[in-house]
Amino acid sequence: MKKETFLFDLDGVIFDTEGQYTEFWNGIGRDWLGDPDLAEKLKGETIAQSLLRCFPDDALKREQVRKLLYDFESQMKFEYVPGAYEFLQYLKDNGFSTAIVTSSNRDKMAQVYKSRPEVPEMVCKVLTGDDFSRSKPFPDCYLLGMKTFGAIPENTYIFEDSFNGLKSARGSGGHVIGLATTNPREAVAPYSDIVIDDFRGIMEALKTGFGLPSLAAETQPYP
């Protein structure tokens, strides 16, 4: 494997799903907690942490909302952020270490695999919220991603979109590529080394922003 490691959040980075989650959690906030702007407070957290935040003293409500979320995710549309599929395939075909690092749990990922069965083969590793105890904005998940491949922060490139995720990526010491899929470019920029709208033109953005000579010596052409 080449020395560079590429770590990707899932929602809002690989899949354009953040709008669907915003609708769900704002609905829960409005109907259950009187907070129609709940979703922004939860982005990047594990499901368990979000449920504890919302209903710290009510296990029954936590379980009810968990079931609602499971049913909601079973109907979600997992559409790729433009260029994401092609870039992930390119990286793996050319021998780079790649992982999805998501706060989603394994139940959610089962829904993803049902809709997109190619996902497990697109990356070398999938890490979920079940694999680390502290979720974003703590850096634990991305540090685990680096440890998985024996990588160091200087050679790790992390793709994130939410503020909690961006803070997690920054705290890990890796290079941060912010996606302006969930928040405006100007809001994402302070947490990122570079900002992209999607993965179209990603090769030029990475070469310009970081150099990455090994990307220029690809054995398989980039689409």
Side-chain angles (χ1 to χ4, degrees), residues 33 36 38 59 95 99 103 110 115 119 155 188 194 196:
L33 299 167
L38 175 65
S103 296
S115 176
V119 167
N155 291 328
V188 171
I194 62 173
I196 59 176

Side-chain angles (χ1 to χ4, degrees), residues 45-54 62 66 103 105:
E45 291 187 345
T46 65
I47 299 305
Q49 288 175 316
S50 293
L51 292 173
L52 277 172
R53 176 198 287 263
C54 294
R62 290 199 297 271
R66 188 190 303 273
S103 296
N105 59 21

Side-chain angles (χ1 to χ4, degrees), residues 20-39:
Q20 296 173 76
Y21 277 115
T22 295
E23 179 181 350
F24 175 83
W25 284 110
N26 281 349
I28 294 296
R30 181 186 62 248
D31 298 340
W32 295 58
L33 299 167
D35 182 0
D37 299 314
L38 175 65

Side-chain angles (χ1 to χ4, degrees), residues 129-202:
D130 297 313
D131 295 313
F132 40 87
S133 58
R134 296 194 306 176
S135 188
K136 305 167 186 178
F138 292 103
D140 303 35
C141 59
Y142 288 118
L143 293 173
L144 177 60
M146 295 179 202
K147 182 179 179 181
T148 298
F149 299 113
I152 60 175
E154 291 79 3
N155 291 328
T156 301
Y157 299 84
I158 303 172
F159 296 79
E160 265 289 359
D161 66 304
S162 70
F163 293 124
N164 278 338
L166 290 162
K167 292 174 183 176
S168 173
R170 179 65 80 204
S172 74
H175 302 289
V176 183
I177 299 92
L179 277 91
T181 52
T182 304
N183 300 289
R185 291 179 68 92
E186 59 270 21
V188 171
Y191 303 93
S192 310
D193 295 308
I194 62 173
V195 179
I196 59 176
D197 295 315
D198 54 42
F199 291 92
R200 293 172 292 191
I202 183 60

Side-chain angles (χ1 to χ4, degrees), residues 6-153:
F6 294 83
L7 307 178
F8 298 82
D9 180 41
L10 184 73
D11 295 293
V13 172
I14 296 175
F15 292 114
D16 186 13
T17 48
E18 283 295 356
Q20 296 173 76
Y21 277 115
T22 295
E23 179 181 350
F24 175 83
W25 284 110
N26 281 349
I28 294 296
R30 181 186 62 248
D31 298 340
W32 295 58
L33 299 167
D35 182 0
D37 299 314
L38 175 65
E40 186 57 38
K41 303 178 180 69
L42 307 180
K43 291 184 187 298
E45 291 187 345
T46 65
I47 299 305
Q49 288 175 316
S50 293
L51 292 173
L52 277 172
R53 176 198 287 263
C54 294
F55 308 105
D57 302 313
D58 197 326
L60 177 59
K61 286 185 178 178
R62 290 199 297 271
E63 189 55 37
Q64 289 173 327
V65 174
R66 188 190 303 273
K67 177 61 164 59
L68 289 173
L69 179 60
Y70 182 85
D71 292 342
F72 179 80
E73 289 176 335
S74 70
Q75 303 299 318
M76 281 180 62
K77 295 180 179 179
F78 294 98
E79 302 293 340
Y80 286 104
V81 169
Y85 175 84
E86 292 81 2
F87 185 52
L88 285 166
Q89 285 294 115
Y90 164 84
L91 291 173
K92 191 172 184 187
D93 288 347
N94 282 278
F96 292 96
S97 300
T98 59
I100 292 172
V101 182
T102 176
S103 296
S104 300
N105 59 21
R106 294 190 183 104
D107 286 343
K108 153 68 178 295
M109 295 309 297
Q111 302 286 11
V112 173
Y113 301 153
K114 187 182 300 182
S115 176
R116 297 289 187 180
E118 70 274 14
V119 167
E121 301 303 318
M122 289 167 52
V123 292
C124 305
K125 186 75 174 179
V126 177
L127 298 173
T128 75
D130 297 313
D131 295 313
F132 40 87
S133 58
R134 296 194 306 176
S135 188
K136 305 167 186 178
F138 292 103
D140 303 35
C141 59
Y142 288 118
L143 293 173
L144 177 60
M146 295 179 202
K147 182 179 179 181
T148 298
F149 299 113
I152 60 175

